[in-house]
Amino acid sequence: MSDRVFPSSKPATNGGTATTAATTPAPNPPPPASNKSHLYNPTARPPYRPQPRRRRTRSGRSICCCCCFWTLLAILLLILLAAIAGAALYILYRPHRPAFSIPSLRIHRLNLTTSADSSSSHVSTLLNLTLISKNPNSHLTFFYDSFAISSLSSDGDVFLGNGTIPAYTLGKKNETSFRNVVVSGSNDLDAESVNALRSDLKKKSGGVALKIELDTKVKLKMGGLKTKKVGIRVTCDGIKGVVPKGKSPTVAVTSASKCKVDLRIKIWKWTF
């Protein structure tokens, strides 16, 4: 197949003859830009965008657990330090509880009267006792407040009377005695207390069982260290006496009596 020959569109100049040339076809123009390039392409990868780093924050639960742990650890350390200090003081001073005893007690009056119609009962008491206080420690000094004394029947805990002992200081390895301490009372009793006391008065073996309670506060001095006041209760039981029939008092049996000392710790309205 022969190629077509087209005449040159450019006219000859200067009288020259027009020449013909074989021309190739013009290249195809580029396709127009697509107007849909902005549409989403599912196969295309999105451009990389750096993500901001998240700051690690402790949750409220972890903070609470941490606080509980350190609080418990601090409490345990304080208890350990207190135990070490207490052990050191015990080894250094060898403290012992104070000792009390009632070597003698006289019953001047112990009368139980009941009205004719049995509507009311009344008890009247008058006791006289001797109290001895000892300090067995060689490094401690006791500072006692005044004592409040209560006398009761041991079986029914019926209140019979009260008395007092003034405040005093008891030095190292020393003792103090209080003689002719008066304990008296005049009280109305309820039916239950009357029955308990009447059964004690009718006993013929040993007489009436009595109990003496002494309440006070004491402060200790160990070298140059002084403690705060703490409450103590001294309970002396095992005392038995016969009710006097005349004006002369009867002597109670105190050979089997024992006195024990207990701490009295008061928290708000409760005393332990």
Side-chain angles (χ1 to χ4, degrees):
M1 184 175 180
S2 61
D3 295 333
R4 291 183 179 182
V5 178
F6 295 92
S8 175
S9 62
K10 187 178 180 180
T13 58
N14 296 330
T17 58
T19 60
T20 62
T23 63
T24 59
N28 294 328
S34 176
N35 59 352
K36 296 183 180 181
S37 61
H38 66 282
L39 296 178
Y40 172 72
N41 187 357
T43 61
R45 293 183 178 181
Y48 173 74
R49 295 179 181 178
Q51 297 294 330
R53 293 183 179 180
R54 295 181 179 179
R55 295 181 179 179
R56 294 182 178 180
T57 58
R58 293 183 178 181
S59 63
R61 184 176 181 180
S62 63
I63 294 175
C64 182
C65 292
C66 185
C67 292
C68 291
F69 171 76
W70 287 111
T71 302
L72 181 61
L73 183 60
I75 293 173
L76 292 177
L77 287 175
L78 289 176
I79 294 174
L80 179 61
L81 291 176
I84 293 173
L89 289 175
Y90 179 79
I91 295 173
L92 182 61
Y93 294 105
R94 296 285 181 177
H96 297 280
R97 293 188 180 187
F100 295 86
S101 63
I102 299 178
S104 66
L105 187 147
R106 295 176 180 273
I107 303 174
H108 293 265
R109 184 174 62 250
L110 181 54
N111 298 329
L112 176 63
T113 58
T114 304
S115 60
D117 56 355
S118 300
S119 60
S120 63
S121 297
H122 188 82
V123 61
S124 176
T125 59
L126 177 59
L127 309 178
N128 189 298
L129 59 88
T130 299
L131 177 71
I132 296 178
S133 173
K134 295 182 180 180
N135 180 7
N137 299 278
S138 57
H139 300 283
L140 301 181
T141 302
F142 293 100
F143 299 88
Y144 293 103
D145 287 354
S146 59
F147 283 76
I149 306 175
S150 301
S151 63
L152 305 97
S153 65
S154 295
D155 295 337
D157 282 342
V158 180
F159 178 77
L160 302 176
N162 54 13
T164 58
I165 292 177
Y168 65 98
T169 301
L170 194 56
K172 308 169 186 177
K173 289 286 185 178
N174 203 347
E175 71 176 44
T176 300
S177 61
F178 297 91
R179 302 181 183 278
N180 299 322
V181 179
V182 177
V183 179
S184 61
S186 181
N187 311 301
D188 293 328
L189 301 179
D190 55 14
E192 184 178 357
S193 298
V194 169
N195 294 331
L197 185 58
R198 184 175 285 119
S199 63
D200 287 345
L201 294 175
K202 289 181 179 180
K203 289 180 180 179
K204 296 181 180 180
S205 59
V208 182
L210 301 175
K211 180 171 62 176
I212 304 297
E213 290 182 349
L214 303 98
D215 293 304
T216 187
K217 289 185 178 181
V218 61
K219 181 170 62 175
L220 306 181
K221 181 181 179 182
M222 300 176 290
L225 177 64
K226 287 185 178 182
T227 65
K228 293 184 178 180
K229 293 181 180 180
V230 294
I232 63 171
R233 167 171 285 184
V234 183
T235 304
C236 301
D237 54 5
I239 304 171
K240 290 186 177 182
V242 180
V243 178
K245 296 181 179 180
K247 294 183 179 180
S248 60
T250 59
V251 179
V253 179
T254 60
S255 57
S257 65
K258 294 182 180 180
C259 298
K260 64 177 182 178
V261 181
D262 297 316
L263 288 176
R264 301 282 288 176
I265 301 173
K266 187 174 182 179
I267 301 176
W268 290 319
K269 297 180 180 179
W270 297 277
T271 303
F272 303 94

